[in-house]
Amino acid sequence: MPEPTKKEENEVPTPAPAPPPEEPNKEKEAGTAPPKEWSLGESPATEEQEKQNANSQLSTLFVEKPQTGKVKVGGNITFIAKVKAEDLLRKPSVKWFKGKWMDLASKAGKHLQLKETFERQSRVYTFEMQIIKAKENYAGNYRCEVTYKDKFDSCSFDLEVHESTGTTPNIDIRSAFKRREVKQQEEEPEIDVWELLKNANPNEYEKIAFQYGITDLRGMLKRLKRMRRVEKKSRAFAKILDPAYQIDKGGRVRFVVELADPKLEVKWFKNGQEIRPSTKYIFEHKGSERIMFINNCALTDDSEYYVTAGDEKCSTELFVREPPIMVTKLLEDTNAYCGERVELECEVSEDDANVKWFKNGEEIIPGPKSRYKVKVEGKKHTLIIEGATKADSAEYSVMTTGGQSSAKLSVDLRPLKILTPLTDQTVKLGKEICLKCEISENISGKWTKNGLPVQEGDRLKVVHKGRIHKLVIDSALIEDEGDYVFTPDAYSVTLPAKVHVIDPPKIILDGLDADNTVTVIAGNKLRLEIPISGEPPPKAIWSRADKAITEGSGRIRAESYPDSSSLIIDTAERDDSGVYKINLKNEAGEAYANIKIKVVDIPDPPVAPNVTDVGDDWCIMNWEPPVYDGGSPILGYFIERKKKQSSRWMRLNFDLCKETTFEPKKMIEGVAYEVRIFAVNAIGISKPSMPSKPFVPLAVTSPPTLLAVDSVTDTTVTMKWRPPDQIGAAGLDGYVLEYCFEGTENWIVANTDLIDKTKFTITGLPTDAKIFVRVKAVNAAGASEPKYYSQPILVKEVIEPPKIRIPRHLKQTYIRRVGEAVNLVIPYQGKPRPELTWKKDGAEIDKNQINIRNSETDTIIFIRKAERSHSGKYDLQVKVEKFEENASIDIQIVDRPGPPQVVKIEDVWGENVALSWTPPKDDGNAAITGYTIQKADKKSMEWFTVIEHYHRTNATITELVIGNEYYFRVFAENMCGLSEDATRTKESAVIAKDGKVYKNPVYEDFDFTEAPMFTQPLVNTYAIAGYNATLNCSVRGNPKPKITWMKNKVAIVDDPRYRMFSNQGVCTLEIRKPSPYDGGTYCCKAVNDLGTVEIECKLEVKGGLSFCRLLLQGVPPNIIDSYLRDLQSSNPEEY
């Protein structure tokens, strides 16, 4: 029959209908051609198109392709494909196909399984297709496709399933039935399906496919579409193969071609593999005809075939059709009762054939939730209906590819018999109610109570098991009492029963404690309501100590209600505590219970607390619990405090104190306090306890500070210290000085009585001994923590070279006014006590005018009323044996200056007068800082100040009144003030009314140039090694002088250890972290065009870390200097 034109070489045969599953791969047989890629719906391939198809693959993704395999019927086989994932960002997409278009992903099940895995180390995706229990119709061509973005790869392979004896052909799973009305099939003669499809309406294609068992309708339609294409005439073939052939399964097919040249060699191919002669394939030559016979056609022979002659070929397709399945045993009409199991049976001509069941023309689709089940046993097919109902009455039919059968099912009600009726029941409250009946039929029914439907719930269950019906009620309630009726469905029969619920009396004590104790506060009213239950309502009787409590109006009485009983106590008292009994009684029984009533109150107040210890702002107190706790355990205590002289108590704790000890804090030292206690239980707070005895918080002082050695002789050590930082309200009574010898722990008190001074001499010490010293501060609260001297003290007098420590303010000229007191204190050092000598301007000092007082540590110059004659240079010499130290102090006594010598009127013009004067002879021993000029009208002679603080010796007075006559006077001024007298002009200046020619005075330019001069000299300075030091002086001059700093006559230039500043004439040299090497003579040199001036000073750098460490440890500076001098003399190279 006609069929589509030949396919491209990369097509594979039409897939078999069953879903194939898997078994291990096998190698391809020798001589077989590798599977080729294919696509559906393409036009016949030309050579040009074949080249394009060969290049259509964009990239190769497979690293291992599935291979052609063989398997026996019932065996397993697995096909494996592997894809390298090194260049892939995500998992590729893989599809498995059978034939041309069947996607096997939708066929996965018990016979076909698809798996995929990923190996992270090798980065390879593995895809597996496993066929389980292979069947004969699983044979055919398969294809695996892998895609990733724009990359594509495909591989085809074959599966051969060997036939075995007794194997029953399986149905074609691709033949699907459409819902249609059942029509009687009649035997028809064999017709050509291709001719039928070509002439049929497209809407009838599926009907024809089902009727004639076409398994690859989709492929046939594609080939049918290509059948009308015109092929070009072949030069090798005089007659080509028909487009398609169709044969029944088991039949024999004949392929014939006629050659244009009989000498050409002919080869036959199936799916691209050459066919060899065998019992199945038989070749014949008849003249120019070439014939191939295929015997015993099977479904695996459904494929593409082509024959080649020279460079040309022609192709065809073979379609193997399964024979139609016939109904061999028809359905029979059936009658059944409701609830019975109904089975409708039929037999077909083939085992495991695919049939469809219909009810009244509608297809029955069996499933897990369907009432219909289909059972297949070989050729026997059964439709099973469980629990048939009247709705199941209908016409049922079965349809196959070759026939159909129908039958009627009638379901009726069966006569109902009551096997076990319902019975009346009497049940105790809380017990189970079970109403049970049995009828002859397995049908459902309805339960009612008092005419209303019964609703199922957690407590009420309706049970239907076969012919038995139950109504079960857990934990029966009073509400469950009533008339119950069961009515079977579809029947008018009723089964009634009555349920009666009884309840013995019960006392419900759920609201009470585990020991049935009720607590009431004294003075409150108690109303104890106890819920009760029982049917009929029980009678309640209350009693105490076998004495009944009646219902009435007494203070203790009882009240009864249907669902409760109450005990009432008005104004509870402590004696009402005890055990009360309640007794219930009704027809169903008796019940009683004992209830304990406890009357509680606030506790008694505790006894007065005791204060056991006192500190600076705290104390420790304790107390005993109260004798009576009020019938409730003591939960804790509240503590209050007040000053003795106050009446205001203050709560100290807001959280209960669980212990009987407490430590009040934050009290004022030296103030008397009292404390008291409150006890607390669950009822409330007790009354306060009696106050404690008054107490005063006191504390010892902090340790004394700055304990240092003042002096040492061969038998004594003098120590000094500073008072404590914190003394407190108890004050300071004195000090106790203690010492112990090195190597012992025996501390000896140096002063038997307290001393109030911060200096004490320890006497009677052995020479060359070493002692440790400590001092304590003592007050009313006791002795403080001791202050220790950090190192042992050697008892031996040390010669200390003299050292004069001039105060900073005396390193410059000391200036005082006449009449003021002069009191200069100059500290010095030296051991033993040095000799002091004072001189003024190189001469001995007149002690009648100047008082000198010397002590062990300083010398004082005192002048009660200073006079200008006391000015001068005072030299001090301190001498200890062969050592001596000298220092000088400049004292300047100043007074107000005298008046200027002469005041002249140089010129008068207009309203102006030019004055000039000469400085005073007596400047008051201080520089003249300015002048004050006054004027007076000759008429009034009242003096008015015109100019103040004027620095020059000439001035012009302006804005005078014309016509007046003026006198002028001038006062001189220094740091002490204006001169007592003023110098007046001898002549007067008349401001003439008539105008006159003004003669401009001739002025000479003032010369502002000035040679450099130091207004503030450098002073000798001490510095500590490691700490920055500065040298300062001030200079003036015009033009601005150039400043140069020198050390030991060597200019300091570009030395990073020095920084030089100059601001408004103040010159500063900063020495960064000096060392003893930086000590020496420093000079500041100022130079301009008018001259040069220099000034010097000495810088002494103390010994670095050693000096600082000794100073911080409290060692006196004189001992440090002596120690450093000895060190310098012993190691001169290090300094």
Side-chain angles (χ1 to χ4, degrees):
M1 64 183 180
E3 194 170 1
T5 57
K6 62 177 182 178
K7 304 178 185 177
E8 297 178 12
E9 290 183 0
N10 57 355
E11 286 192 357
V12 296
T14 305
E22 12 185 326
E23 194 179 84
N25 287 342
K26 296 184 179 179
E27 295 289 336
K28 296 172 62 176
E29 293 182 359
T32 58
K36 299 180 180 180
E37 301 168 16
W38 55 275
S39 63
L40 295 175
E42 295 182 359
S43 61
T46 63
E47 293 182 2
E48 219 174 281
Q49 289 172 331
E50 288 176 0
K51 290 181 182 179
Q52 291 176 358
N53 294 337
N55 298 328
S56 63
Q57 183 175 347
L58 299 178
S59 63
T60 300
L61 297 175
F62 284 115
V63 295
E64 180 179 332
K65 299 181 178 180
Q67 305 296 323
T68 298
K70 298 180 180 180
V71 67
K72 292 182 180 181
V73 174
N76 301 338
I77 187 170
T78 302
F79 297 93
I80 299 177
K82 293 186 178 181
V83 177
K84 195 72 172 177
E86 287 182 349
D87 301 329
L88 306 183
L89 299 179
R90 55 181 176 83
K91 185 182 74 174
S93 175
V94 173
K95 291 184 178 181
W96 298 84
F97 295 88
K98 183 174 189 295
K100 303 172 188 175
W101 56 271
M102 181 182 287
D103 188 350
L104 297 180
S106 61
K107 305 300 182 181
K110 66 178 182 178
H111 291 289
L112 175 65
Q113 293 183 3
L114 302 179
K115 299 180 181 178
E116 59 182 47
T117 58
F118 178 66
E119 298 177 6
R120 294 188 179 273
Q121 295 181 352
S122 61
R123 295 191 61 78
V124 172
Y125 285 97
T126 302
F127 302 90
E128 297 180 9
M129 181 181 74
Q130 184 179 8
I131 299 176
I132 304 170
K133 295 182 180 181
K135 297 182 181 181
E136 192 177 56
N137 60 342
Y138 290 177
N141 183 263
Y142 292 78
R143 186 173 83 259
C144 178
E145 289 184 357
V146 58
T147 56
Y148 177 79
K149 292 186 177 179
D150 59 344
K151 298 181 180 180
F152 173 83
D153 204 354
S154 175
C155 175
S156 297
F157 56 94
D158 292 329
L159 171 63
E160 296 182 12
V161 182
H162 296 293
E163 297 179 2
S164 58
T165 305
T167 303
T168 304
N170 292 287
I171 67 171
D172 187 348
I173 63 172
R174 292 175 300 169
S175 58
F177 298 111
K178 301 292 182 179
R179 289 190 179 180
R180 64 182 64 84
E181 294 185 1
V182 180
K183 295 183 179 179
Q184 185 66 29
Q185 297 268 348
E186 296 183 2
E187 294 185 3
E188 297 179 0
E190 183 176 353
I191 63 174
D192 190 342
V193 178
W194 284 104
E195 292 294 333
L196 191 62
L197 288 174
K198 285 198 297 181
N199 300 324
N201 190 319
N203 296 333
E204 299 179 354
Y205 285 163
E206 290 189 0
K207 180 179 178 180
I208 295 172
F210 173 74
Q211 184 174 356
Y212 293 99
I214 297 174
T215 59
D216 190 11
L217 176 62
R218 197 174 187 182
M220 291 183 69
L221 293 177
K222 290 182 179 178
R223 283 173 280 183
L224 183 64
K225 186 177 180 180
R226 298 198 299 264
M227 284 180 63
R228 298 182 180 87
R229 297 176 184 169
V230 178
E231 297 185 4
K232 64 182 179 180
K233 188 173 181 181
S234 173
R235 291 180 295 177
F237 294 97
K239 180 182 178 182
I240 63 174
L241 295 171
D242 292 337
Y245 296 84
Q246 180 173 306
I247 191 69
D248 289 335
K249 180 180 179 183
R252 183 182 185 188
V253 67
R254 178 176 177 264
F255 296 145
V256 180
V257 295
E258 186 177 346
L259 300 177
D261 183 4
K263 296 180 181 180
L264 292 176
E265 183 182 0
V266 175
K267 291 184 180 180
W268 295 87
F269 294 88
K270 174 187 176 181
N271 289 335
Q273 296 183 359
E274 185 178 358
I275 301 174
R276 302 293 180 182
S278 64
T279 57
K280 187 174 182 68
Y281 302 101
I282 299 173
F283 302 101
E284 290 185 3
H285 293 208
K286 290 183 179 181
S288 61
E289 289 185 350
R290 300 293 182 265
I291 305 170
M292 181 181 71
F293 294 93
I294 302 176
N295 297 324
N296 192 18
C297 290
L299 293 179
T300 55
D301 296 322
D302 187 304
S303 183
E304 178 189 24
Y305 295 85
Y306 65 89
V307 58
T308 62
D311 295 335
E312 294 188 13
K313 71 175 181 178
C314 64
S315 62
T316 187
E317 289 202 27
L318 175 61
F319 293 89
V320 180
R321 184 178 64 178
E322 285 188 320
I325 298 172
M326 308 301 294
V327 180
T328 58
K329 182 181 178 181
L330 302 178
L331 297 175
E332 297 179 357
D333 293 340
T334 305
N335 295 323
Y337 289 110
C338 290
E340 289 184 343
R341 173 188 172 104
V342 179
E343 295 185 359
L344 302 177
E345 297 180 357
C346 71
E347 291 185 5
V348 295
S349 58
E350 298 287 342
D351 289 343
D352 298 329
N354 189 15
V355 301
K356 289 191 176 183
W357 291 88
F358 297 86
K359 175 185 177 183
N360 292 332
E362 295 292 332
E363 183 181 355
I364 297 174
I365 302 177
K369 298 182 179 180
S370 176
R371 295 180 57 248
Y372 302 96
K373 297 181 180 178
V374 176
K375 180 180 179 183
V376 180
E377 297 176 348
K379 298 179 181 179
K380 183 179 178 181
H381 292 255
T382 306
L383 176 64
I384 302 173
I385 304 175
E386 297 285 353
T389 62
K390 283 189 175 184
D392 294 324
S393 297
E395 182 179 2
Y396 292 83
S397 59
V398 63
M399 177 182 248
T400 65
T401 57
Q404 67 177 15
S405 175
S406 62
K408 291 185 179 181
L409 172 62
S410 177
V411 181
D412 297 324
L413 289 174
R414 183 175 297 174
L416 184 66
K417 294 181 182 180
I418 300 175
L419 303 179
T420 305
L422 295 177
T423 58
D424 296 340
Q425 293 188 16
T426 300
V427 182
K428 288 187 178 181
L429 188 70
K431 299 296 183 179
E432 182 182 83
I433 301 174
C434 182
L435 298 177
K436 177 181 177 183
C437 67
E438 183 178 358
I439 56 179
S440 59
E441 298 300 325
N442 182 12
I443 58 175
S444 59
K446 296 183 177 58
W447 290 87
T448 60
K449 173 191 172 185
N450 297 330
L452 298 176
V454 173
Q455 300 295 332
E456 283 194 82
D458 296 337
R459 208 169 50 83
L460 190 147
K461 303 292 183 184
V462 175
V463 180
H464 175 203
K465 187 174 183 182
R467 297 179 299 177
I468 298 175
H469 294 264
K470 290 183 181 180
L471 177 63
V472 181
I473 303 175
D474 294 335
S475 302
L477 302 176
I478 299 298
E479 295 80 6
D480 296 329
E481 188 174 275
D483 296 331
Y484 290 82
V485 176
F486 173 72
T487 305
D489 290 342
Y491 291 93
S492 59
V493 180
T494 59
L495 288 79
K498 290 187 177 182
V499 175
H500 179 57
V501 180
I502 63 173
D503 183 19
K506 289 182 182 178
I507 302 173
I508 303 172
L509 302 176
D510 295 341
L512 302 183
D513 296 339
D515 56 352
N516 295 340
T517 300
V518 177
T519 303
V520 61
I521 300 174
N524 290 356
K525 179 179 180 179
L526 171 65
R527 183 181 182 87
L528 177 60
E529 184 174 346
I530 304 298
I532 61 176
S533 64
E535 185 65 27
K539 182 179 180 181
I541 300 175
W542 288 88
S543 63
R544 178 189 181 192
D546 298 332
K547 184 178 180 181
I549 299 174
T550 60
E551 297 183 5
S553 59
R555 190 176 65 87
I556 301 177
R557 60 187 182 276
E559 292 181 359
S560 296
Y561 300 95
D563 58 349
S564 65
S565 181
S566 300
L567 174 66
I568 301 173
I569 302 177
D570 293 332
T571 315
E573 298 176 357
R574 199 176 286 184
D575 295 338
D576 293 335
S577 299
V579 177
Y580 291 76
K581 183 178 180 181
I582 178 174
N583 190 11
L584 300 181
K585 194 179 224 184
N586 71 353
E587 297 176 0
E590 186 176 358
Y592 70 91
N594 292 326
I595 299 174
K596 183 179 179 182
I597 294 180
K598 183 178 180 182
V599 180
V600 296
D601 200 354
I602 61 174
D604 291 342
V607 295
N610 297 320
V611 178
T612 58
D613 197 5
V614 177
D616 55 347
D617 66 341
W618 55 269
C619 72
I620 296 177
M621 54 183 290
N622 54 39
W623 61 90
E624 295 294 332
V627 177
Y628 174 64
D629 61 1
S632 179
I634 298 296
L635 301 178
Y637 302 90
F638 285 121
I639 297 93
E640 289 186 350
R641 175 189 77 198
K642 79 174 183 67
K643 297 177 183 178
K644 183 180 178 182
Q645 304 301 328
S646 173
S647 60
R648 179 177 172 271
W649 290 91
M650 182 177 68
R651 178 71 57 84
L652 299 182
N653 62 316
F654 293 96
D655 295 330
L656 288 176
C657 175
K658 306 295 184 181
E659 308 294 333
T660 57
T661 301
F662 190 75
E663 181 179 350
K665 295 181 178 180
K666 297 183 179 180
M667 292 184 285
I668 301 175
E669 188 177 0
V671 177
Y673 287 91
E674 293 177 344
V675 291
R676 67 181 183 182
I677 310 296
F678 293 84
V680 181
N681 64 3
I683 309 306
I685 304 175
S686 71
K687 295 181 179 179
S689 68
M690 294 298 294
S692 66
K693 294 181 180 179
F695 63 93
V696 179
L698 293 174
V700 298
T701 67
S702 61
T705 59
L706 300 178
L707 178 62
V709 178
D710 185 65
S711 63
V712 179
T713 66
D714 291 340
T715 59
T716 64
V717 173
T718 302
M719 304 297 296
K720 62 181 179 179
W721 59 90
R722 298 291 298 165
D725 292 335
Q726 298 177 357
I727 295 178
L732 178 63
D733 296 338
Y735 301 95
V736 174
L737 193 67
E738 298 177 341
Y739 68 92
C740 74
F741 293 98
E742 186 179 31
T744 66
E745 296 292 337
N746 183 24
W747 288 92
I748 303 171
V749 179
N751 56 316
T752 55
D753 298 328
L754 294 178
I755 57 174
D756 53 359
K757 296 182 178 180
T758 57
K759 185 176 182 181
F760 187 79
T761 300
I762 304 174
T763 59
L765 299 175
T767 306
D768 294 333
K770 289 185 177 181
I771 64 172
F772 289 95
V773 179
R774 69 183 184 187
V775 62
K776 299 178 183 178
V778 181
N779 66 359
S784 70
E785 292 292 326
K787 173 65 177 178
Y788 291 88
Y789 190 71
S790 59
Q791 56 189 2
I793 302 171
L794 177 64
V795 183
K796 183 177 182 180
E797 187 171 13
V798 179
I799 296 177
E800 179 182 346
K803 188 68 176 179
I804 301 173
R805 299 193 175 277
I806 301 296
R808 183 178 298 272
H809 68 282
L810 296 181
K811 291 180 181 180
Q812 304 174 5
T813 301
Y814 183 74
I815 301 174
R816 280 291 181 269
R817 295 183 179 182
V818 172
E820 292 181 347
V822 177
N823 188 12
L824 303 181
V825 179
I826 296 90
Y828 65 88
Q829 298 173 353
K831 292 291 181 73
R833 185 167 182 173
E835 298 178 1
L836 280 77
T837 303
W838 280 99
K839 291 185 179 180
K840 176 189 175 187
D841 297 330
E844 296 293 332
I845 293 178
D846 185 1
K847 294 185 178 180
N848 293 328
Q849 296 182 0
I850 301 173
N851 294 322
I852 304 285
R853 183 182 65 83
N854 299 326
S855 68
E856 295 181 357
T857 58
D858 55 32
T859 178
I860 300 174
I861 294 181
F862 178 72
I863 303 175
R864 187 176 299 278
K865 289 184 178 182
E867 298 178 0
R868 291 173 63 176
S869 60
H870 294 150
S871 300
K873 181 177 181 181
Y874 291 78
D875 298 319
L876 171 64
Q877 183 184 66
V878 180
K879 186 176 182 180
V880 176
E881 296 184 356
K882 61 180 180 178
F883 302 101
E884 66 179 27
E885 178 82 1
N886 297 304
S888 299
I889 298 174
D890 292 326
I891 298 178
Q892 181 179 355
I893 307 300
V894 298
D895 197 0
R896 290 195 292 179
Q901 297 183 36
V902 178
V903 178
K904 297 180 181 179
I905 297 175
E906 297 291 341
D907 194 4
V908 178
W909 74 99
E911 300 174 357
N912 307 307
V913 174
L915 300 178
S916 65
W917 61 88
T918 56
K921 291 183 179 180
D922 183 10
D923 59 2
N925 204 21
I928 298 297
T929 59
Y931 300 92
T932 297
I933 305 168
Q934 294 181 345
K935 66 179 179 179
D937 188 359
K938 184 177 180 181
K939 298 178 182 178
S940 61
M941 288 306 292
E942 292 184 6
W943 293 98
F944 297 94
T945 300
V946 178
I947 300 175
E948 291 182 315
H949 312 301
Y950 191 74
H951 294 285
R952 298 181 182 180
T953 56
N954 51 65
T956 300
I957 311 302
T958 61
E959 297 181 356
L960 298 176
V961 179
I962 296 175
N964 290 355
E965 186 176 356
Y966 293 93
Y967 286 96
F968 301 91
R969 66 180 182 182
V970 179
F971 292 88
E973 182 179 7
N974 66 2
M975 62 182 297
C976 294
L978 297 175
S979 59
E980 294 182 359
D981 299 325
T983 303
R984 198 181 76 171
T985 55
K986 295 181 179 179
E987 301 87 6
S988 63
V990 179
I991 308 303
K993 292 181 180 181
D994 298 331
K996 64 178 181 178
V997 178
Y998 174 72
K999 181 181 180 181
N1000 289 327
V1002 178
Y1003 296 104
E1004 294 182 359
D1005 292 338
F1006 185 78
D1007 187 6
F1008 289 97
T1009 59
E1010 183 181 9
M1013 180 181 68
F1014 284 100
T1015 59
Q1016 181 67 35
L1018 291 173
V1019 296
N1020 295 335
T1021 305
Y1022 296 92
I1024 298 176
Y1027 295 89
N1028 291 357
T1030 56
L1031 302 177
N1032 299 287
C1033 64
S1034 61
V1035 64
R1036 77 181 185 189
N1038 192 15
K1040 183 178 180 180
K1042 178 182 178 182
I1043 305 300
T1044 303
W1045 288 91
M1046 294 180 289
K1047 174 189 175 186
N1048 297 330
K1049 302 299 183 181
V1050 176
I1052 299 173
V1053 180
D1054 296 334
D1055 192 333
R1057 293 184 302 110
Y1058 299 93
R1059 288 202 302 175
M1060 289 165 275
F1061 307 96
S1062 179
N1063 185 18
Q1064 301 294 329
V1066 177
C1067 303
T1068 303
L1069 175 66
E1070 181 182 17
I1071 307 170
R1072 296 182 177 179
K1073 297 182 179 180
S1075 63
Y1077 171 78
D1078 292 318
T1081 301
Y1082 285 82
C1083 174
C1084 181
K1085 181 178 180 182
V1087 180
N1088 69 0
D1089 296 340
L1090 301 180
T1092 302
V1093 65
E1094 295 180 0
I1095 191 169
E1096 294 180 352
C1097 73
K1098 289 183 179 181
L1099 174 66
E1100 183 177 352
V1101 181
K1102 297 298 181 178
L1105 296 176
S1106 298
F1107 180 85
C1108 294
R1109 187 182 297 110
L1110 294 174
L1111 188 63
L1112 292 174
Q1113 291 177 354
V1115 180
N1118 57 345
I1119 297 179
I1120 297 175
D1121 284 345
S1122 174
Y1123 167 73
L1124 293 178
R1125 288 179 186 275
D1126 293 343
L1127 193 63
Q1128 183 175 1
S1129 60
S1130 61
N1131 299 308
E1133 294 180 359
E1134 297 182 3
Y1135 292 86

